[in-house]
């Protein structure tokens, strides 16, 4: 990792978990994999302090660990991806609240705070609204650690009629919804190992086959696919486990044992792939306003799935791009397409070896059918009139053509008309003889010709049901927007026509769209820092490759002085590269050819480093601003002062507190905007 990324990750860990944990995390970032004795040597901490720090870091998934089978030594490694995700905690909670409700946002916030937690521990941490006659005594206890942060008792509309707080039923329903959406996932042993260690374990379970010289390439590719499938199953769960989550029935279920109920006991299901354990826990039945619910095993350990939130962030950026390029109504249709595909996308970047992008088959891309979209967008009235229609007879396309081209076209039409006149005169004499021979047959009229038009052809009108009419209206309203997304230069969608056996589909090429987002971000950065003329030079270099100053001057339509100033500024900033090609062995500057080049990968790395450095400075600035009013902030955060600031705080303290909150809001708002750039440059 670079120095800027190391400083930023250390600051974020120090901001949330304290100096002790940040010191251990920083040493792991600097030195890589270390054992317990190595950490003792580099950090200078005691064994007790180091164990406490490692416990916190492992609980928060900030540190990987793996024990070697040969020497039985445990090695620890820093997880920089999870540490940077600490900046996005607020975005995670806000998205969950918007889609699943305030109570779901509170549950996700607790999982972010705890790292991972059992379903039973979450149920015990909330004061659940059990009926008084069926309340278990052990369900009202708090977490065992009294120093742990209290979980807020967030209420959700519709969970209880008397608004007494969340119930056990609402908690299980919320966890089921989050599991189905993929924003949380079950924890397994592979989540505590690094990618390299998981690769080693996968190769142990799937040994490398003995390659045959005739089928060496095919067997090696199949083995690599098997390894990648194993790693994907460990990271996101196997297909059986994901189907288990999807097929969880929301019907009301009786628990395994209910001493106070006379109902028959529920038959035990012996195996559940999701939890790798038996289902059915001792509990009590209760009545609820919600008739349908689902229960999870109390021993199931859950954590936040950062990969799924990266997919959600990418979809949001694509919807914003479609809105800026096309319009609001079309972007809403595109948002539904992406949301339909969201459940199938486990992560943004594909880990399996891919074929050549130019040879990729569009049928293999993630797709959705038109019928599914029409079912999602029931109200199509907002999309029907969003795209205007003009009469083709009233559209004059010649106004956009060049006058010289119009004159050339008119001359060609005149020559063609003259040739047609000569041919018509020659064939008119031959037609006179044929018409004279057929004159006797002209009086004969067939029965079909004598019938009215309404009777001569069978009627094709059928009586349509209201449901079919509504679906047909939804199809006709959505199709122009979908075709507009397909015809755009960015290729937001690919149209797969309907066949006799396959319905009409609309596919999305996420890899190409991610590259488009990256190009737009780099172009906007160059334009904001160096001006639109610099953007013109970058586009020329990206299209033509390496060029000298003379060619750039001719293609860019710029004078040499302006062009040199722009090229020098971008070269000093690290966005352009300069190559020297000497014409002679003595390498004299006057006999040397200088070529300018644009490397998108190096520019992306440079922009990413600048974002890391800027976010680190903003976090430090926020800490300095908070330290200046530390006493006032601590006084305002007391439980007896919250909500009664006018009584306990003076006028100067209230003014200082308000100014500090405004500055902190602006600072963290800028951090959020920079995090969007980091997501486009690094994660998508």
């Amino acid at each position: 990792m670079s120095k800027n990324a190391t400083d930023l990750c250390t600051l974020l860990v120090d901001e949330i978990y304290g100096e002790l944990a940040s010191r251990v995390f920083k040493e792991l970032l600097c030195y890589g994999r270390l054992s317990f004795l190595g950490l003792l040597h580099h950090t200078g901490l005691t064994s007790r302090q180091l164990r406490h720090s490692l416990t916190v870091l492992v609980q928060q998934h900030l540190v990987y660990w793996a024990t070697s089978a040969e020497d039985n030594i445990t090695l620890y490694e820093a997880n920089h991806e999870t540490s940077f995700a600490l900046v996005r905690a607020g975005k995670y909670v806000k998205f969950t609240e918007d889609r699943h409700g305030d109570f779901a946002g509170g549950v996700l916030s607790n999982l972010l705070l705890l790292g991972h937690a059992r379903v039973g521990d979450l149920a015990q941490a909330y004061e659940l609204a059990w009926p008084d006659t069926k309340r278990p005594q052990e369900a009202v206890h708090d977490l065992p650690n009294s120093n742990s942060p209290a979980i807020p008792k967030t209420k959700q509309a519709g969970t209880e009629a008397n608004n007494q707080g969340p119930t056990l039923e609402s908690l299980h329903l919320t966890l089921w919804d989050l599991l189905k959406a993929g924003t949380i996932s079950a924890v397994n042993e592979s989540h505590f190992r690094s990618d390299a260690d998981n690769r080693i374990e996968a190769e142990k379970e799937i040994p490398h086959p003995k390659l045959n010289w005739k089928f060496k390439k095919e067997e090696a590719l199949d083995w690599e696919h098997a390894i990648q499938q194993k790693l994907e199953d460990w990271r996101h769960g196997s297909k059986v486990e994901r189907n288990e989550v999807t097929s969880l029935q929301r019907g009301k279920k009786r628990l395994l044992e209910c001493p106070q109920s006379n109902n028959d006991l529920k038959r035990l299901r012996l195996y559940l792939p999701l939890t790798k354990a038996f289902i059915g826990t001792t509990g009590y039945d209760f009545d609820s306003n919600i008739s349908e619910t689902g229960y999870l095993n109390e021993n199931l350990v859950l954590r936040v799935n950062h990969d799924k939130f990266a997919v959600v962030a990418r979809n949001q950026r694509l919807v914003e791009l479609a809105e800026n390029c096309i319009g609001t109504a079309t972007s809403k249709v595109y948002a539904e397409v992406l949301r339909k595909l969201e459940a199938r996308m486990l992560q943004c970047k594909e880990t399996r070896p891919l074929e050549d992008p130019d040879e990729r088959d569009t049928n293999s891309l993630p797709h959705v059918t038109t019928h599914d979209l029409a079912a999602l967008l029931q109200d199509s009235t907002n999309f029907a009139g969003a795209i205007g229609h003009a009469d083709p007879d009233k559209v004059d396309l010649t106004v956009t053509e060049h006058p010289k081209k119009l004159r050339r076209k008119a001359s060609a039409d005149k020559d063609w008309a003259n040739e047609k006149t000569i041919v018509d005169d020659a064939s008119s004499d031959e037609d006179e003889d044929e018409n004279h021979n057929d004159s006797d047959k002209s009086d004969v009229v067939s029965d079909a010709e004598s019938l009215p038009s309404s009777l001569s052809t069978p009627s094709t009108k059928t009586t349509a049901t209201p449901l079919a009419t509504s679906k047909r209206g939804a199809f006709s309203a959505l199709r122009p927007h979908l075709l507009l997304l397909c015809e755009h230069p960015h290729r937001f969608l690919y149209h797969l026509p309907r066949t006799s056996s396959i319905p009409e589909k609309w596919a999305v090429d996420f890899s190409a769209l991610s590259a488009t987002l990256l190009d737009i971000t780099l172009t906007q950065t160059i334009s904001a820092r160096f001006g639109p003329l610099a953007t013109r030079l970058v586009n020329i270099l990206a299209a033509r490759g390496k060029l000298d100053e003379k060619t750039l001057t001719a293609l860019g339509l710029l004078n040499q002085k302006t062009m040199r100033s722009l090229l020098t500024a971008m070269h000093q900033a690290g966005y352009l590269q300069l190559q020297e090609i000497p014409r002679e062995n003595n390498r004299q500057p006057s006999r040397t050819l200088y070529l300018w080049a644009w490397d998108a990968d190096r520019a992306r790395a440079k922009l990413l480093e600048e974002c890391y450095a800027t976010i680190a400075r903003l976090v430090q600035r926020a800490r300095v601003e908070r330290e200046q009013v530390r006493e006032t902030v601590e006084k305002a955060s007391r439980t007896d002062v919250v909500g009664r600031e006018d009584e306990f705080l003076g006028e100067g303290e209230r003014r200082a507190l308000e100014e500090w909150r405004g500055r902190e809001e602006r600072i963290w708002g800028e951090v959020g905007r920079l995090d969007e750039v980091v997501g486009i440059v690094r994660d998508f």
Side-chain angles (χ1 to χ4, degrees), residues 177-193:
D177 290 336
L178 295 178
L179 274 172
K180 186 177 180 181
T183 52
I184 63 175
S185 61
V187 178
N188 54 58
E189 186 179 356
S190 65
H191 293 154
F192 297 96
R193 296 193 298 256

Side-chain angles (χ1 to χ4, degrees), residues 372-385:
D372 296 337
L373 293 178
L376 291 175
L377 297 172
Q378 296 292 341
D379 187 10
S380 60
T381 57
N382 297 330
F383 308 103

Side-chain angles (χ1 to χ4, degrees), residues 68-125:
S68 176
E70 290 77 9
D71 49 11
N72 199 22
I73 296 178
T74 302
L75 299 177
Y76 302 93
E77 182 180 353
N79 183 4
H80 63 278
E81 295 181 357
T82 306
S83 61
F84 183 80
L86 296 174
V87 178
R88 304 172 178 173
K91 295 182 179 180
Y92 293 173
V93 176
K94 181 65 169 59
F95 168 78
T96 307
E97 290 178 352
D98 294 340
R99 181 171 291 189
H100 303 284
D102 295 339
F103 179 62
V107 172
L108 188 78
S109 177
N110 297 326
L111 287 177
L112 287 170
L113 187 65
L114 300 174
H116 59 261
R118 293 172 57 251
V119 176
D121 293 338
L122 290 174
Q124 290 182 1

